[in-house]
Amino acid sequence: MPKNENKVPYGEGYGGYGDYGYEVGQTQRNLADYLVLLRERVWYIVIIFLVMVTGVSLYTFKKTKLYTAGTLIEIYRDDPGPMGGTSGDIDLSQIRSAEDLNTEINFLNSGRLIEAVNKRITGPEREAFMAPYEDTVTFSGPLTPLEILGRNRDVTPARLSLNVYLSYTHPDPAIAADIANIFAEEYVAFSLNRGLELTIQAVENLRREAEAKQSVVDDLEAQLAQYRRENDAVSIDRGENVALRELEILTGRLNTAESAYANAKIQWDLVQEFEAEDRPLWELDFISVIPLVNDLLSRRANAMINYSTLGKRYREKHPIMIEATENLAQIDIELDAAVDISKSGFRAIYEQAELNLVSAQEALARSEDKMLRLAEVRTGYNSILREFQVAQASYQQLISQLQTREAETSWKTAQAEIIDRAAIPLRPSSPNVLLNLALGVIGGLGLGVGFAFVLALLDNRVKSAYDVEELVGLPLLGIVPKIDRRLSSPDRARAVLTNLDSKVTESFRTIHSSISLSDEGKLAQVIAVTSTLPAEGKSFIATNLALTFAGQGQRTLIVDCDMRLPNVAKSFGLKPKTGMYDFFFGEKSLDEVIIREVAPNCDILPTERAPDNPTQVLNSVEFEQLLIQLRHSYHKIVIDSPPVGAVSDTLCLLPLIDGVAFVLKFNDVKKKAAKSAVRTLSESETPVFGAVMNAISAKMSNYYYSHYYDYSYHDYYYTKNPGERQSLKEKSGPNSPTPSGQVPLEEDGTQSKVTEPAGKA
């Protein structure tokens, strides 16, 4: 059973049909399907296309002709005069980058230039300029000259150059050329005036700056003079040299005083140390070398030697000894006196050395203070001097620049030049007839196709093989073209038999082949034909499908199980007085209720009136036994069953039949409803062979025939591969056994008697 999850791509398992239209395994629409969608709505495309082309044509041929005149301007990077670019400063009017060029382009598009051009247009020229726009009114009122100039002026910079193409468009070609030239002239004049204004402004700025700088220089010079006077620094250099020399002398004096003080302090400290130890001071070297002390020490030594010698000859009280003793004592007295004198001398030397040292230190400190004061004076002086020198240099530079700018003012020229003046155009620039018509054609086609696609996307009805196979989820058994409504109901029910429409006949042959070639359909004996909703043509499909089976030599019975609205007998133009109602609720036998030979090999089991509860009939054992009995009498039993989406009668039939053929009316049934009906059928174990798309329009049927059936029918019916197909004679015939093994007809061609169902008996 072809459920959605086990869906077999169309054509797979159905002979050679899968090679046409949808490819095997195809899950999306191909280009041909989209072309079909467009073809179905081709009139929308045609109408939109014609409206678009007509509108564009009317607009193009009724639009006022406009003429465009242009002039070419070259913008120089620097002032082309002899002083241009010689100052070395950054000139604001120089073109050095793409940003500078864009600035110039923006000025060409500015309102200032438009105002300048507007002032140039006066008198009769202004009247001629405004004449074409007198009747033009916008939301803000009548157009002003400034608005007109701004809307019709165009500035286009030439790529990779400093050239600019400036154009103007006007209904009068002469005025267009004049206005374009005026725009160019005003821009060149602006370029010159802007340069002069900038230069003059720069000169004035430099002059004011130079005067201010000169005032600063004068002030600093006065400050220097005042500083010299206040700090007695007429000659700071000479004063610093004298102070430095004095500092050097005092430093040497201090060093000498420190050395003398150190020596005197050492000697005096030794004297004090010997005195503290009660040692004779003449033992100190610096005292013993004093001539008086040295002489007395020599005399004392000789006296002691003499005293010692005499002591060996005389006693102490001997006069000679007494004299020697007194002489030695006298020398000691003199020696002590000489040592005391020397001691006082060294003390005086020490004290004097100390005084000299303090004096030298004080003098050096005074000299250092003087040097520091001179350094401070020098620093202050130098600070003011540097400011003065800087201000003076800046002043000199300003004077130089001022002189250069004054020279530039005299030689200033325009920084732009008109290369080509605008000439009077000979042909209009607008409207562009060919371009407008081409855009109209392309736009009309695009809008038409887009509108058709939008309609197709919004259309939720089943109308293509893609909808059947991919959205509904059933393989497409075949398509049946819409049959002529003027035909009577019996003619439509016998369409295959009478071959009124060859496409219809061929369609049912295709459906027959599709069912017969499938694994489940080839053995199916009881086939129900149902649909989603009423009036989709299921009775038409059921009767003609049964006639197709009968036309293949198979004994076929059409059972009208749509008991609520029985239509099979009526569609054949019959008004049966008896049928299944009498069979189930009356005393009629099956032979009595079957209408024989409505067509060769084709019988009908009609429903003459609707029972009170059709569901009860279809669920009854008697109905099941009826189908079992019929299986022994017919090769094929085609049941016209009620719509699945309307009533549940068909669900009662599903366990008793071998398969279902689902009918979808082209461009009528909603995809969602059809999908829901198929889902309901799929919940049973009964196979759904596929869908038959009915009542397809003539144009669409041509498409399907051209894409699906041209060669497949020829190959299928007239090509036989050994071992794959049987001949018509071998495969079927009125006397061939049914799938249940029964022979439905007698050998002499008379109708065999149908055994009554067990329940009925």
Side-chain angles (χ1 to χ4, degrees):
M1 179 176 179
K3 295 183 179 179
N4 292 341
E5 59 272 17
N6 299 321
K7 182 173 57 183
V8 179
Y10 179 69
E12 187 171 335
Y14 294 90
Y17 298 102
D19 296 337
Y20 301 91
Y22 284 92
E23 296 179 357
V24 175
Q26 176 183 337
T27 59
Q28 295 181 347
R29 287 192 174 100
N30 55 26
L31 179 60
D33 297 318
Y34 286 108
L35 292 178
V36 171
L37 294 178
L38 296 179
R39 183 176 179 179
E40 185 183 358
R41 299 165 181 82
V42 66
W43 283 110
Y44 291 107
I45 300 174
V46 172
I47 292 172
I48 293 175
F49 172 77
L50 293 177
V51 170
M52 190 74 179
V53 171
T54 303
V56 171
S57 300
L58 292 175
Y59 169 78
T60 300
F61 291 109
K62 288 189 175 182
K63 186 175 184 293
T64 303
K65 293 182 178 179
L66 298 176
Y67 295 84
T68 301
T71 177
L72 184 64
I73 301 173
E74 182 173 1
I75 301 174
Y76 299 113
R77 291 190 181 278
D78 295 311
D79 182 2
M83 298 299 294
T86 58
S87 62
D89 299 334
I90 297 176
D91 190 349
L92 296 178
S93 62
Q94 289 178 339
I95 308 298
R96 294 183 177 274
S97 63
E99 289 79 5
D100 295 336
L101 180 59
N102 289 333
T103 302
E104 293 297 314
I105 300 302
N106 291 334
F107 176 77
L108 284 166
N109 288 306
S110 67
R112 181 176 176 181
L113 188 61
I114 294 175
E115 291 179 356
V117 174
N118 183 41
K119 293 178 181 177
R120 290 273 304 270
I121 306 173
T122 57
E125 186 179 5
R126 190 178 192 82
E127 294 179 358
F129 172 75
M130 293 296 298
Y133 305 100
E134 289 179 349
D135 298 333
T136 303
V137 179
T138 63
F139 290 106
S140 60
L143 287 173
T144 64
L146 294 177
E147 291 176 334
I148 297 172
L149 288 171
R151 291 182 179 184
N152 296 285
R153 177 256 298 119
D154 184 52
V155 177
T156 305
R159 190 169 179 269
L160 300 178
S161 72
L162 294 178
N163 295 333
V164 178
Y165 185 75
L166 195 154
S167 62
Y168 189 81
T169 302
H170 194 271
D172 188 333
I175 293 178
D178 290 341
I179 300 300
N181 288 326
I182 292 174
F183 264 105
E185 292 167 0
E186 286 299 320
Y187 172 69
V188 173
F190 164 77
S191 175
L192 175 60
N193 295 332
R194 180 183 60 181
L196 285 175
E197 290 175 359
L198 292 175
T199 304
I200 293 173
Q201 184 65 33
V203 169
E204 290 300 323
N205 292 337
L206 285 173
R207 181 174 287 110
R208 286 195 294 270
E209 191 173 353
E211 291 174 355
K213 188 62 69 178
Q214 184 179 10
S215 177
V216 172
V217 170
D218 294 342
D219 290 342
L220 290 172
E221 193 171 11
Q223 288 181 19
L224 280 176
Q226 181 68 22
Y227 191 84
R228 285 176 177 173
R229 286 193 298 272
E230 291 177 352
N231 295 280
D232 192 17
V234 177
S235 177
I236 296 177
D237 294 336
R238 189 175 64 184
E240 286 181 341
N241 293 333
V242 171
L244 182 61
R245 190 159 51 250
E246 181 182 353
L247 182 62
E248 291 176 351
I249 294 172
L250 291 175
T251 301
R253 177 187 169 187
L254 177 60
N255 293 333
T256 303
E258 288 176 347
S259 178
Y261 174 76
N263 293 331
K265 188 174 184 306
I266 292 172
Q267 291 175 348
W268 179 245
D269 290 341
L270 289 174
V271 170
Q272 290 180 330
E273 182 180 352
F274 271 68
E275 283 183 345
E277 295 176 356
D278 197 19
R279 293 170 61 186
L281 295 180
W282 62 75
E283 291 181 357
L284 293 173
D285 293 339
F286 55 90
I287 292 179
S288 64
V289 297
I290 297 174
L292 179 57
V293 175
N294 189 21
D295 181 58
L296 291 172
L297 288 175
S298 297
R299 289 172 56 191
R300 184 175 180 275
N302 292 331
M304 290 182 69
I305 293 171
N306 185 39
Y307 180 80
S308 178
T309 302
L310 291 178
K312 292 176 179 180
R313 292 173 63 184
Y314 303 100
R315 296 185 179 270
E316 293 183 358
K317 298 211 189 247
H318 189 279
I320 295 175
M321 286 299 291
I322 292 172
E323 184 181 0
T325 302
E326 291 176 352
N327 184 35
L328 183 59
Q330 182 62 36
I331 293 172
D332 289 337
I333 293 171
E334 292 178 358
L335 180 59
D336 291 336
V339 169
D340 290 339
I341 293 171
S342 299
K343 173 185 174 184
S344 299
F346 279 105
R347 180 176 183 178
I349 291 171
Y350 169 71
E351 291 175 352
Q352 186 61 42
E354 186 175 11
L355 291 175
N356 291 339
L357 177 61
V358 172
S359 176
Q361 290 175 341
E362 291 175 352
L364 182 61
R366 287 193 298 271
S367 181
E368 289 175 347
D369 292 340
K370 185 178 180 179
M371 284 297 297
L372 290 175
R373 190 178 64 81
L374 288 175
E376 292 175 354
V377 172
R378 163 65 71 182
T379 301
Y381 178 79
N382 288 341
S383 176
I384 299 174
L385 181 60
R386 282 194 297 273
E387 291 182 10
F388 170 75
Q389 290 173 345
V390 171
Q392 191 174 31
S394 177
Y395 172 71
Q396 293 297 333
Q397 187 177 7
L398 289 174
I399 292 299
S400 176
Q401 291 180 358
L402 179 60
Q403 294 172 350
T404 302
R405 291 296 185 186
E406 289 176 345
E408 288 178 357
T409 304
S410 302
W411 292 94
K412 193 67 179 178
T413 59
Q415 204 169 336
E417 182 183 3
I418 301 176
I419 303 301
D420 288 332
R421 296 185 65 83
I424 298 175
L426 301 178
R427 297 181 181 82
S429 58
S430 176
N432 190 331
V433 178
L434 293 178
L435 178 61
N436 289 356
L437 292 179
L439 292 177
V441 171
I442 296 173
L445 287 175
L447 288 176
V449 171
F451 184 73
F453 270 117
V454 170
L455 289 181
L457 292 176
L458 297 177
D459 194 349
N460 193 30
R461 294 170 296 182
V462 177
K463 57 177 55 184
S464 68
Y466 174 82
D467 296 336
V468 174
E469 297 186 346
E470 299 302 326
L471 300 182
V472 178
L474 291 177
L476 183 63
L477 296 175
I479 56 100
V480 179
K482 181 183 293 184
I483 199 166
D484 192 351
R485 291 185 176 180
R486 293 172 296 182
L487 295 175
S488 62
S489 178
D491 289 339
R492 289 199 294 269
R494 300 168 184 267
V496 172
L497 186 63
T498 58
N499 197 20
L500 292 175
D501 189 331
S502 59
K503 290 182 179 179
V504 173
T505 305
E506 198 67 20
S507 298
F508 281 98
R509 289 174 180 170
T510 302
I511 297 168
H512 168 267
S513 299
S514 298
I515 296 175
S516 300
L517 291 175
S518 67
D519 294 336
E520 296 167 331
K522 66 174 58 174
L523 300 176
Q525 190 176 4
V526 181
I527 301 172
V529 179
T530 186
S531 61
T532 305
L533 301 171
E536 290 194 61
K538 59 178 181 54
S539 298
F540 167 72
I541 298 297
T543 56
N544 284 281
L545 179 61
L547 292 175
T548 303
F549 282 117
Q552 299 300 317
Q554 295 177 307
R555 288 282 296 162
T556 305
L557 176 66
I558 307 174
V559 182
D560 192 354
C561 286
D562 191 357
M563 297 181 178
R564 302 173 191 269
L565 295 172
N567 191 44
V568 174
K570 183 178 178 181
S571 65
F572 279 92
L574 303 175
K575 295 181 180 179
K577 296 181 180 179
T578 182
M580 281 202 291
Y581 186 88
D582 288 339
F583 175 75
F584 287 109
F585 300 101
E587 299 299 332
K588 299 293 184 181
S589 65
L590 186 58
D591 284 335
E592 292 173 337
V593 298
I594 291 178
I595 303 175
R596 304 289 179 181
E597 293 296 326
V598 294
N601 298 324
C602 183
D603 300 338
I604 295 177
L605 177 54
T607 298
E608 74 279 17
R609 56 176 296 190
D612 295 336
N613 192 344
T615 304
Q616 183 179 5
V617 176
L618 298 177
N619 274 328
S620 65
V621 177
E622 290 78 3
F623 184 80
E624 181 178 358
Q625 292 176 346
L626 171 65
L627 287 183
I628 293 173
Q629 182 178 357
L630 293 176
R631 284 176 182 271
H632 292 283
S633 302
Y634 292 94
H635 294 99
K636 297 292 182 182
I637 302 170
V638 179
I639 299 177
D640 181 13
S641 61
V644 178
V647 293
S648 60
D649 297 356
T650 303
L651 302 181
C652 302
L653 296 172
L654 295 178
L656 308 177
I657 62 177
D658 299 326
V660 177
F662 192 72
V663 178
L664 292 167
K665 187 176 182 181
F666 172 77
N667 201 21
D668 185 76
V669 63
K670 300 293 182 58
K671 298 172 185 174
K672 186 175 181 181
K675 194 171 183 179
S676 176
V678 171
R679 188 183 304 113
T680 301
L681 295 174
S682 301
E683 291 175 355
S684 69
E685 297 299 328
T686 304
V688 180
F689 301 137
V692 177
M693 194 155 54
N694 182 36
I696 194 167
S697 63
K699 294 178 180 178
M700 293 299 296
S701 66
N702 291 333
Y703 159 74
Y704 279 101
Y705 272 91
S706 62
H707 285 76
Y708 283 79
Y709 307 123
D710 283 351
Y711 295 98
S712 58
Y713 273 94
H714 175 80
D715 293 340
Y716 179 75
Y717 285 108
Y718 300 100
T719 301
K720 176 182 177 183
N721 295 327
E724 295 182 357
R725 301 190 182 107
Q726 293 177 313
S727 65
L728 291 176
K729 183 177 180 181
E730 296 170 342
K731 183 177 182 180
S732 61
N735 297 320
S736 62
T738 65
S740 58
Q742 300 297 320
V743 179
L745 296 177
E746 299 293 344
E747 292 181 357
D748 57 359
T750 59
Q751 295 294 329
S752 60
K753 297 293 182 179
V754 178
T755 305
E756 292 293 335
K760 183 69 177 176

